[in-house]
Amino acid sequence: MSASAGTGVFMLSLMSIPFCYLFNSLIYNNGAEAFFFAGFSAVLILTISVRFMLKKKAPVDRLFYVYAVFAFLSVVNLIIGLEQDNIIDGFVTFYLKEAEPHINTAHGHMISYWDGCVHYLMYLLMIAAITWGDSYRTIGLYWVGSFSMRTMVYILGNAVGKYGTQVTPLFILHILYISVSVWACFRIFSQPSTHDAQLTSIQEAQRTSLLHRPLDLLFIVYLIPALAFCVFRGLVVLDCSSKWCEDYTKQFEPYLKDPTAYPKVQMLVSMLYSGPYYIITLYGLLVPGCKWVPDLTLVHSGALAQAQFSHIGASLHTRTPFSYRVPADSQSVFLLVNVLYALVPHALCYHCCTQPAFFLNPKQEKKTQ
């Protein structure tokens, strides 16, 4: 397939800039129903445009079209974030004022930037891989984790937070977006794994004791306090009466008590999903042949990156009430702990994906060879 297909999608995604400005000018005084119709029309026109542009060399993989639409929407989210910061004006003014009150929170602000930058880059990379006929399963699994965390926290936070009663017609479009994304997640999981190694390397790696695998030992040592930290913050948002929990909230993370409920949902999701992840990954680092470990670390790394970016940013953002922001004298400790909590799982993921011999099944590799 020609690279012009990927280039066409990139250029089409940039069309969202004049598109937003035009639609904002047309519907500014016509209410939320007009915005719903405009949003639905935009998705429909975009899908037809992509198909028309690629009529002669249409990609076989249907996820190409999904990512093309998502790339367009990611640029829209970036525009939303820039207008919220008053860097630009007149592109999504109506949307920010009338259509979606949740997006004006600090958490909504951060996920706009995440989707407009990180997700946009991932969509372009996956589109390029499809165009060149390469595998994009690794990037796809990272996106699965990021999308899953973003969606769970945002939907549940909207439902239980102070904006829970404010449902707009755009909620239907959001459900459509989630439905298509879930289908895309299953398509990514169904692709064949790209992790392989020589049979001799697998046998040698699995005969090596833990004491002779210093990196694995280091990661095991990390997983235990990471699990404790994950559970501890979950207890904090559950209003644990322990003095440690109260002191931690006051001194380091008062944002956990923010009434928007996003941080509370974030910590509960982390405790219920990241907690078990740390336990089964600990098992996977001790017992050879757990071939699911590299894929699991990819999904978790994407989820934790999105979660920590949103949490750190919202904890310091000016849209968060002053009483819920991180105190100035505690910011260095807060940043150190939370940045390390986000980065170390990526180092573990890189280690597992680049040196997968310990996690592969020697019997299956022997059949393959």
Side-chain angles (χ1 to χ4, degrees), residues 166-337:
Q166 301 184 33
V167 180
T168 69
L170 283 174
F171 182 74
I172 300 174
L173 287 179
H174 204 73
I175 293 300
L176 176 62
Y177 164 77
I178 293 173
S179 302
V180 175
S181 298
V182 170
W183 170 78
C185 292
F186 282 106
R187 284 293 301 268
I188 291 170
F189 274 115
S190 66
Q191 294 180 3
S193 175
T194 56
H195 305 299
D196 57 2
Q198 294 294 325
L199 180 61
T200 53
S201 300
I202 296 174
Q203 294 172 341
E204 182 180 354
Q206 296 184 354
R207 282 196 300 264
T208 306
S209 67
L210 181 62
L211 295 177
H212 293 87
R213 292 184 283 124
L215 270 180
D216 288 354
L217 182 61
L218 184 64
F219 287 128
I220 288 173
V221 172
Y222 161 78
L223 288 173
I224 298 172
L227 172 61
F229 182 62
C230 172
V231 174
F232 175 73
R233 291 206 294 187
L235 294 176
V236 169
V237 299
L238 289 174
D239 296 324
C240 177
S241 58
S242 169
K243 189 176 184 301
W244 286 6
C245 294
E246 294 178 357
D247 291 343
Y248 179 80
T249 304
K250 292 178 181 177
Q251 297 177 17
F252 298 102
E253 296 199 47
Y255 177 65
L256 295 177
K257 300 295 184 180
D258 188 89
T260 59
Y262 294 120
K264 184 173 184 176
V265 173
Q266 182 78 76
M267 296 309 137
L268 290 177
V269 170
S270 296
M271 182 174 69
L272 294 175
Y273 291 94
S274 291
Y277 160 81
Y278 292 128
I279 296 173
I280 59 179
T281 304
L282 186 65
Y283 172 85
L285 289 171
L286 293 172
V287 179
C290 299
K291 62 180 181 179
W292 40 263
V293 171
D295 289 349
L296 188 62
T297 58
L298 274 169
V299 174
H300 182 260
S301 295
L304 201 61
Q306 194 283 327
Q308 287 299 102
F309 176 84
S310 300
H311 180 67
I312 293 172
S315 297
L316 303 171
H317 203 277
T318 55
R319 288 181 180 269
T320 298
F322 183 79
S323 58
Y324 295 113
R325 292 182 218 162
V326 180
D329 56 350
S330 304
Q331 287 184 5
S332 57
V333 176
F334 167 79
L335 288 172
L336 177 63
V337 171

